[in-house]
Amino acid sequence: MSIFKGGFKCFIITKKQIMFMTAIVLSAVMVTVGTKMVFASSNKKLPIYCVQTDKKRIAISFDAAWGNDDTHTLVEILKKYDVPATFFVVGAWVDKYPESVRELSNAGHQIQNHSNTHPYMTKLPKTKMIDEIKTCNEKIKSITGVEPTLLRPPYGDYDNLLIDAVSECKMNAIQWSVDSHDWMENATADSIYERVVSRTENGSIILMHNDAEHTPEALPRILETLKKDGYEFVFISDLIYKDNYEIDHTGKQCECE
């Protein structure tokens, strides 16, 4: 209802209308669980971005989806600094470069799942998600003899359905807390180094790529500095908690007391 008063148009909203609009707003942002009201965003399921720990333990990871020019060089660098790494590989990459998968495994690194064809997983039905995961697992296991336990979603793209699919495959979904940005066109060895060392802290998961132009140049300095700072490099599977944990709203995995 509206009226004109003093040349201005005023709107009068009844108490019933206010209550109705309030209910709409609350239903859009909140859900009721029992007698407790919580923000709907709290229902969003998250992968593990990092781990809460007092220990100076971190994990470095490399995604392998396209090229392969630098994989052997990375293996040599990691060997020189005695650093274990987690490689997330795409099934199609395994098909194309089985000798590199074998080299990574023989060098003692962990080979984990980055999907079979590198799709946007949230655009797939759950059955296709599971097929992407299981097909890649089978390809990796056929070469390494070890079935992956971790999935890194392509493009960092995930939703509740994907987290459920990963869980059904008895795996953990993994993101990262330190993005090296080695994949960016304007990246340099110095910018990669500065980003990583300035953002790393206890429980960090570092993201790099096996075929980024300046990663081989930046990696030795990163490993030297972080080791000098007292950090121990471990596999992601050894960094994360296997049970009795929760993941907070930032994606940090915390051990339950």
Side-chain angles (χ1 to χ4, degrees):
M1 180 172 64
S2 65
I3 62 173
F4 281 92
K5 184 176 181 181
F8 293 95
K9 189 174 183 180
C10 302
F11 290 88
I12 299 175
I13 301 175
T14 66
K15 182 178 179 182
K16 183 176 181 181
Q17 289 173 318
I18 292 174
M19 292 176 66
F20 178 73
M21 288 187 290
T22 301
I24 291 176
V25 172
L26 286 175
S27 65
V29 297
M30 306 178 92
V31 294
T32 302
V33 180
T35 59
K36 197 164 106 177
M37 196 161 281
V38 298
F39 284 104
S41 60
S42 67
N43 288 335
K44 184 173 178 62
K45 298 178 181 180
L46 298 174
I48 299 169
Y49 282 77
C50 60
V51 175
Q52 183 180 60
T53 177
D54 294 330
K55 299 178 181 178
K56 293 185 71 88
R57 304 175 85 213
I58 58 177
I60 190 165
S61 63
F62 298 85
D63 287 0
W66 314 118
N68 193 40
D69 291 343
D70 299 324
T71 306
H72 176 72
T73 301
L74 297 179
V75 170
E76 292 298 309
I77 294 171
L78 293 166
K79 179 180 179 181
K80 178 180 178 180
Y81 292 95
D82 192 26
V83 169
T86 306
F87 283 79
F88 289 92
V89 304
V90 171
W93 191 86
V94 175
D95 293 337
K96 197 170 183 179
Y97 306 109
E99 72 286 350
S100 290
V101 177
R102 192 170 293 108
E103 179 184 17
L104 290 170
S105 180
N106 290 341
H109 301 296
Q110 276 198 356
I111 317 296
Q112 300 287 0
N113 193 318
H114 196 33
S115 80
N116 187 48
T117 63
H118 206 269
Y120 283 95
M121 297 287 269
T122 59
K123 295 182 179 181
L124 304 177
K126 190 176 183 182
T127 54
K128 292 292 186 181
M129 291 178 179
I130 292 176
D131 182 64
E132 281 280 334
I133 296 168
K134 289 188 173 181
T135 301
C136 184
N137 275 356
E138 290 167 2
K139 290 179 178 181
I140 293 170
K141 187 176 180 180
S142 70
I143 295 175
T144 68
V146 180
E147 186 161 354
T149 59
L150 308 176
L151 170 83
R152 173 167 285 160
Y155 310 105
D157 177 45
Y158 67 90
D159 58 12
N160 285 7
L161 194 63
L162 177 60
I163 302 301
D164 288 340
V166 174
S167 180
E168 284 186 25
C169 293
K170 302 188 186 315
M171 300 170 71
N172 290 107
I174 302 294
Q175 294 283 80
W176 58 85
S177 57
V178 180
D179 188 342
S180 67
H181 279 190
D182 60 350
W183 50 272
M184 297 184 71
E185 287 187 7
N186 63 348
T188 65
D190 286 341
S191 70
I192 295 167
Y193 168 82
E194 291 296 338
R195 280 191 63 85
V196 173
V197 300
S198 65
R199 289 165 170 75
T200 298
E201 58 187 13
N202 293 2
S204 288
I205 296 175
I206 301 168
L207 168 66
M208 304 190 82
H209 295 80
N210 76 308
D211 201 44
E213 182 178 0
H214 299 289
T215 298
E217 182 183 354
L219 186 58
R221 291 176 60 200
I222 291 171
L223 302 183
E224 288 175 4
T225 298
L226 294 179
K227 278 201 158 190
K228 184 178 179 180
D229 289 343
Y231 287 107
E232 175 192 3
F233 288 89
V234 298
F235 294 126
I236 294 176
S237 63
D238 292 330
L239 181 68
I240 65 175
Y241 301 112
K242 304 302 189 300
D243 49 39
N244 196 36
Y245 68 83
E246 61 184 12
I247 299 174
D248 72 13
H249 68 284
T250 69
K252 179 180 288 186
Q253 188 193 39
C254 310
E255 188 175 26
C256 296
E257 297 181 357

